[in-house]
Amino acid sequence: MPYRRLPNTNQARLRSIQQAVHKGEAASLYDLAYSYKLFEDAKGFLTKYQRAMNENKQCSEKQFSSSIEFQEAAKNARMYVSHFIKVLNMCVQRHEIRAEYKEFYGLDPDNYVTPDLTSDESLYRWGKKIIEGEQHRLSRGGTPIYNPAIAKVRVHYDIFAEGYSNQKILQNNTSRTSENIGQLNSEADELILKIWDEVEATYANLQPAIKIERCKEYGLIYYYRKGEKI
């Protein structure tokens, strides 16, 4: 005999409840295979569940759309910050800037390796240090570094930093709506189980094949074991 298995994805849960509600709306009160109270509960929950999934979808799409523009801004900022650090190190090596002044930027005076700027977090942190460090050095009478000038670096860094903060907000929104769906899933599973139990109980006296077909109309999902005749 085939066995039933509860849905284990959000979309599968949604389809199951939708089918049970749709079948309930099409049936008369006396033909409904599960209780009217449960039918009303399912309708109310379906509205809430669909709203949560639509909100999560909108947040995910907005985050994805924004990330395309953000990655371009990050690429430019990474290039300018990295280039500025390399030029700074060359100025120190040519004795145009004193080595100890590298500490203004959070850099080791004896280390001429450019910090790892691969992640957005490190780029955000180092970009801020470099801009503040150059301002500090110039305030002490230092000669500005050109090609790239710190003003040019700052323009690209500010665009990146704004996008970085925006991405954090969008990520939090997506995470929040995902968590909301996760909290609703246990309620969805309990609701689906109750519906399936009542539907199967209603058709318990029918022939197995007919029973399965009737139950499937309410969204029940059956699986055949390996080697079992369909």
Side-chain angles (χ1 to χ4, degrees), residues 59-70 167 170:
C59 288
S60 298
E61 290 176 347
K62 190 172 183 179
Q63 180 185 339
F64 177 77
S65 175
S66 176
S67 69
I68 298 175
E69 184 177 346
F70 169 69
Q167 280 296 108
L170 295 177

Side-chain angles (χ1 to χ4, degrees), residues 99-166:
E100 58 266 30
Y101 284 178
K102 288 177 62 178
E103 294 179 353
F104 296 162
Y105 307 84
L107 297 168
D108 183 348
D110 299 320
N111 187 348
Y112 292 89
V113 176
T114 302
D116 183 9
L117 304 175
T118 305
S119 70
D120 295 332
E121 290 78 6
S122 63
L123 175 59
Y124 183 83
R125 185 174 64 254
W126 277 108
K128 188 172 185 291
K129 287 182 179 182
I130 295 305
I131 292 170
E132 291 177 349
E134 180 69 352
Q135 290 174 336
H136 187 190
R137 190 180 65 81
L138 294 180
S139 70
R140 295 169 64 94
T143 303
I145 290 177
Y146 295 101
N147 194 29
I150 197 63
K152 189 72 171 179
V153 175
R154 182 161 197 163
V155 167
H156 289 282
Y157 176 78
D158 285 348
I159 294 173
F160 158 77
E162 182 179 355
Y164 180 79
S165 299
N166 186 50

Side-chain angles (χ1 to χ4, degrees), residues 16-45:
S16 179
I17 299 172
Q18 283 176 326
Q19 191 162 345
V21 169
H22 177 72
K23 183 64 177 178
E25 290 173 337
S28 67
L29 180 61
Y30 300 102
D31 292 335
L32 186 62
Y34 61 101
S35 70
Y36 184 75
K37 180 184 181 306
L38 192 53
F39 169 61
E40 288 295 320
D41 290 344
K43 283 202 301 182
F45 179 80

Side-chain angles (χ1 to χ4, degrees), residues 2-226:
Y3 64 97
R4 72 183 198 190
R5 188 166 68 197
L6 289 171
N8 57 8
T9 66
N10 297 338
Q11 286 298 329
R13 290 183 178 93
L14 179 63
R15 286 194 300 269
S16 179
I17 299 172
Q18 283 176 326
Q19 191 162 345
V21 169
H22 177 72
K23 183 64 177 178
E25 290 173 337
S28 67
L29 180 61
Y30 300 102
D31 292 335
L32 186 62
Y34 61 101
S35 70
Y36 184 75
K37 180 184 181 306
L38 192 53
F39 169 61
E40 288 295 320
D41 290 344
K43 283 202 301 182
F45 179 80
L46 179 59
T47 299
K48 182 168 59 175
Y49 199 52
Q50 285 177 316
R51 185 186 303 118
M53 293 189 69
N54 287 336
E55 186 180 2
N56 177 252
K57 181 181 178 182
Q58 291 172 1
C59 288
S60 298
E61 290 176 347
K62 190 172 183 179
Q63 180 185 339
F64 177 77
S65 175
S66 176
S67 69
I68 298 175
E69 184 177 346
F70 169 69
Q71 290 305 320
E72 184 63 24
K75 177 183 176 183
N76 290 333
R78 189 169 285 111
M79 177 177 61
Y80 274 89
V81 171
S82 173
H83 192 184
F84 185 91
I85 295 173
K86 290 176 181 177
V87 173
L88 171 63
N89 279 327
M90 286 190 292
C91 288
V92 172
Q93 290 172 319
R94 292 195 298 260
H95 305 291
E96 296 170 358
I97 295 176
R98 294 168 60 177
E100 58 266 30
Y101 284 178
K102 288 177 62 178
E103 294 179 353
F104 296 162
Y105 307 84
L107 297 168
D108 183 348
D110 299 320
N111 187 348
Y112 292 89
V113 176
T114 302
D116 183 9
L117 304 175
T118 305
S119 70
D120 295 332
E121 290 78 6
S122 63
L123 175 59
Y124 183 83
R125 185 174 64 254
W126 277 108
K128 188 172 185 291
K129 287 182 179 182
I130 295 305
I131 292 170
E132 291 177 349
E134 180 69 352
Q135 290 174 336
H136 187 190
R137 190 180 65 81
L138 294 180
S139 70
R140 295 169 64 94
T143 303
I145 290 177
Y146 295 101
N147 194 29
I150 197 63
K152 189 72 171 179
V153 175
R154 182 161 197 163
V155 167
H156 289 282
Y157 176 78
D158 285 348
I159 294 173
F160 158 77
E162 182 179 355
Y164 180 79
S165 299
N166 186 50
Q167 280 296 108
K168 287 292 184 183
I169 294 172
L170 295 177
Q171 288 170 4
N172 289 336
N173 289 341
T174 302
S175 177
R176 173 181 53 80
T177 55
S178 295
E179 288 175 4
N180 186 31
I181 293 175
Q183 292 171 356
L184 290 174
N185 280 344
S186 31
E187 188 178 347
D189 292 341
E190 183 179 352
L191 180 64
I192 293 169
L193 181 60
K194 287 180 179 178
I195 293 174
W196 287 16
D197 284 345
E198 290 190 12
V199 170
E200 281 197 332
T202 298
Y203 297 132
N205 295 326
L206 296 178
Q207 292 291 328
I210 299 175
K211 171 189 169 182
I212 289 173
E213 290 307 312
R214 292 285 181 87
C215 289
K216 282 183 177 180
E217 294 175 359
Y218 282 86
L220 276 75
I221 303 171
Y222 290 94
Y223 292 87
Y224 288 88
R225 294 174 178 81
K226 186 176 180 180

